[in-house]
Amino acid sequence: MTRKKRRMWILLLCALGLGSATALTLTAFQDNLVFFRSPSDVMAERPGPDRAFRLGGLVEAGSVERDAAVSGQRPTVRFRVTDGAHAIQVAYQGVLPDLFREGQGVVTMGRMVDGTFRASEVLARHDETYMPPEVADALKRSGHWNPAEGAPPPPATWNTMDPARPAQQGRTGS
């Protein structure tokens, strides 16, 4: 075998190894990628039951239902997550964070199953001023909050807001 052929075989084997490593890495990342979606995004394009994603928004007032824990099982909680324009029913089995309550920001991770979001994880906001960046972006996109005009409107007004005029609702003196 000549030196030229030997170099060609080495380059070919290196390219094959690099290509295989790249393919394996991309396949591993694809299974672990989790995208954020607001309720409006979910209503516009329903993800399949095999696709995990994060759903974020506010816990809709009056929507929290707690089922008593059966011995040996974790408690089940049902609630709705809203971005002001749309709301998605969420079911979660487990203990909720201490900061979880109606009208507060929440990010859940799970899958859509039969029209209900089955959450495997629930994250609540940290304090009165914190809002997950994804939730803030969803509020801006839906037209319910313009940061240049001040703090977001109170969560209790979200279900009654007119998306065409978000700055007028929830303010006094206007």
Side-chain angles (χ1 to χ4, degrees):
M1 192 182 277
T2 65
R3 293 177 87 190
K4 192 173 188 179
K5 282 187 177 182
R6 192 175 335 159
R7 270 191 239 143
M8 188 63 97
W9 277 106
I10 291 173
L11 284 174
L12 183 64
L13 289 174
C14 287
L16 181 66
L18 183 62
S20 297
T22 302
L24 289 172
T25 302
L26 291 175
T27 302
F29 280 134
Q30 184 178 7
D31 292 341
N32 293 324
L33 284 178
V34 180
F35 294 101
F36 174 84
R37 296 182 182 195
S38 68
S40 294
D41 295 339
V42 173
M43 296 303 277
E45 182 181 330
R46 294 240 179 213
D50 58 328
R51 187 71 180 147
F53 64 96
R54 288 185 177 154
L55 174 68
L58 291 182
V59 178
E60 191 174 76
S63 70
V64 178
E65 300 172 6
R66 299 174 191 263
D67 294 341
V70 179
S71 62
Q73 291 185 0
R74 298 182 293 176
T76 301
V77 181
R78 290 178 181 76
F79 56 93
R80 293 175 62 83
V81 173
T82 183
D83 63 356
H86 295 95
I88 301 288
Q89 182 71 31
V90 177
Y92 175 68
Q93 194 170 29
V95 178
L96 290 169
D98 291 337
L99 297 174
F100 177 89
R101 60 183 174 271
E102 294 176 354
Q104 298 297 317
V106 68
V107 175
T108 60
M109 189 166 102
R111 304 172 189 277
M112 287 297 290
V113 179
D114 298 329
T116 299
F117 186 78
R118 303 282 179 191
S120 59
E121 185 178 355
V122 175
L123 305 171
R125 70 183 205 169
H126 300 287
D127 61 24
E128 290 97 36
T129 60
Y130 175 78
M131 181 178 296
E134 297 92 351
V135 175
D137 291 342
L139 288 175
K140 292 173 196 173
R141 279 194 317 266
S142 69
H144 289 292
W145 178 38
N146 181 359
E149 294 181 6
T157 65
W158 282 32
N159 295 335
T160 59
M161 291 176 65
D162 178 9
R165 297 176 30 197
Q168 304 302 322
Q169 292 291 89
R171 296 185 183 260
T172 57
S174 291

